[in-house]
Amino acid sequence: SWYASNIGVLLLNKFLLSNYGFKYPIFLTLCHMMACSLLSYIAIEWLKIAPMQRVKSRLQMMKISALGFIFCLSVVGGNISLRYLPVSFNQAVGATTPFFTAVFAVVMTSKREGWITYVTLMPVIAGVIIASGGEPLFHLFGFMMCIGATAARALKSVLQGLLLSSEGEKLNSMNLLMYMAPVAVMVLFPAALYMEKGVVGITIALARDDWKFLIYLLFNSALAYFVNLANFLVTKHTSPLTLQVLGNAKGAVAVVISILIFKNPVSITGMLGYSLTVAGVILYTEAKKRS
């Protein structure tokens, strides 16, 4: 379920934004967040998948809102990059998340890892540089958006530990999503209306002309929620480390499937760079586990 939802939402995003021609990544992210708001409430309040945790103060809500805004930037940036970059290269850049997490951890918390941990990040960065040079469909703006989304994802994880670190403020990932998603909706709705002129009317017209588009959009939005649900359940029933290991392999699986489906050209240099990045992430995970 974890693999299917993660890879499925990635490929469907690419299909809608690039192949299908629905060039509205902010509105697509808005649909994702609306689904997350509704479905996370149903899962917690009605289905009791996770215990309900209440927000205890205005300050805690402000911290959650800040995380929601950064979360929103990471998803929008990732969706924008899929308009310009193939999934294979998008995943190569996304694999550098540990590098940005390590940098933000040092800058914001002064938390330092062992020197071996930092050495393992070198092939992660070197791999992306090699993959960039060997990518036939390289697009500078798409690359910048992808880097921005990856950095925002890392910043959110560091801030989450920093802002919600006390026992009274800790929230599990499902409750955090339930409170963050409406914040993201409030940010994205005016942004979509202003930056993607007429997107609501265009979406309604597309749904009327082609009922399959509406099915794709609804399924894609629901799948975006199930990614978070699967993340929570895997962590709950195994461990955070298992999720990291699954993530290492997920990128490689997503690359192979995307190449088979979208048939985007891939150079040997690009694959070499991506393989080096994945190897670096695996080494990084091992170094963190030992330290």
Side-chain angles (χ1 to χ4, degrees):
S1 296
W2 187 88
Y3 267 102
S5 58
N6 270 269
I7 296 173
V9 78
L10 185 69
L11 298 179
L12 260 176
N13 284 350
K14 177 64 178 176
F15 175 71
L16 285 170
L17 292 168
S18 185
N19 294 59
Y20 201 89
F22 185 70
K23 304 182 189 302
Y24 304 101
I26 298 175
F27 185 78
L28 182 65
T29 309
L30 173 63
C31 293
H32 290 179
M33 292 301 103
M34 288 169 67
C36 286
S37 298
L38 176 63
L39 295 175
S40 58
Y41 180 79
I42 291 171
I44 293 171
E45 184 67 25
W46 296 355
L47 302 179
K48 309 295 183 185
I49 287 175
M52 173 70 79
Q53 294 173 293
R54 302 290 180 185
V55 175
K56 296 180 179 178
S57 67
R58 184 179 296 179
L59 179 61
Q60 187 184 12
M61 192 65 228
M62 287 174 64
K63 293 175 179 179
I64 292 168
S65 299
L67 289 172
F69 181 70
I70 295 166
F71 177 62
C72 180
L73 290 179
S74 71
V75 179
V76 170
N79 285 341
I80 290 174
S81 73
L82 283 171
R83 271 193 62 190
Y84 302 98
L85 298 174
V87 173
S88 52
F89 187 61
N90 177 280
Q91 288 294 284
V93 177
T96 61
T97 302
F99 167 77
F100 289 103
T101 304
V103 170
F104 286 130
V106 171
V107 171
M108 299 175 68
T109 67
S110 300
K111 181 185 176 184
R112 299 184 184 278
E113 305 286 351
W115 67 270
I116 295 177
T117 306
Y118 293 114
V119 168
T120 59
L121 290 172
M122 292 171 66
V124 173
I125 300 303
V128 170
I129 293 169
I130 293 169
S132 301
E135 176 53 55
L137 300 177
F138 181 82
H139 191 285
L140 182 60
F141 179 70
F143 176 69
M144 289 171 64
M145 285 291 102
C146 200
I147 286 286
T150 305
R153 197 157 50 242
L155 178 61
K156 183 242 170 193
S157 67
V158 174
L159 273 178
Q160 186 174 326
L162 198 62
L163 297 179
L164 303 177
S165 56
S166 68
E167 284 301 319
E169 290 186 334
K170 279 184 180 175
L171 297 172
N172 65 48
S173 60
M174 291 301 295
N175 277 271
L176 186 60
L177 178 68
M178 184 179 71
Y179 292 119
M180 283 196 314
V183 174
V185 169
M186 288 189 286
V187 172
L188 290 168
F189 188 71
L193 293 180
Y194 178 73
M195 299 175 71
E196 299 176 338
K197 304 285 186 187
V199 65
V200 177
I202 292 166
T203 305
I204 293 170
L206 273 171
R208 283 175 179 168
D209 293 341
D210 184 2
W211 62 269
K212 286 188 291 186
F213 167 74
L214 185 60
I215 299 297
Y216 289 142
L217 189 61
L218 290 173
F219 182 65
N220 181 242
S221 300
L223 208 54
Y225 166 72
F226 283 109
V227 168
N228 293 283
L229 176 62
N231 281 349
F232 171 74
L233 292 174
V234 169
T235 306
K236 179 183 177 183
H237 293 291
T238 56
S239 68
L241 183 62
T242 302
L243 193 69
Q244 281 188 348
V245 173
L246 282 172
N248 296 340
K250 186 258 304 184
V253 175
V255 167
V256 173
I257 293 175
S258 69
I259 291 169
L260 292 174
I261 292 175
F262 298 115
K263 295 179 170 56
N264 52 283
V266 180
S267 67
I268 293 174
T269 307
M271 288 307 293
L272 176 66
Y274 182 65
S275 301
L276 185 59
T277 297
V278 172
V281 172
I282 292 169
L283 289 172
Y284 172 81
T285 304
E286 285 298 312
K288 284 278 285 182
K289 184 170 67 174
R290 293 186 182 189
S291 66

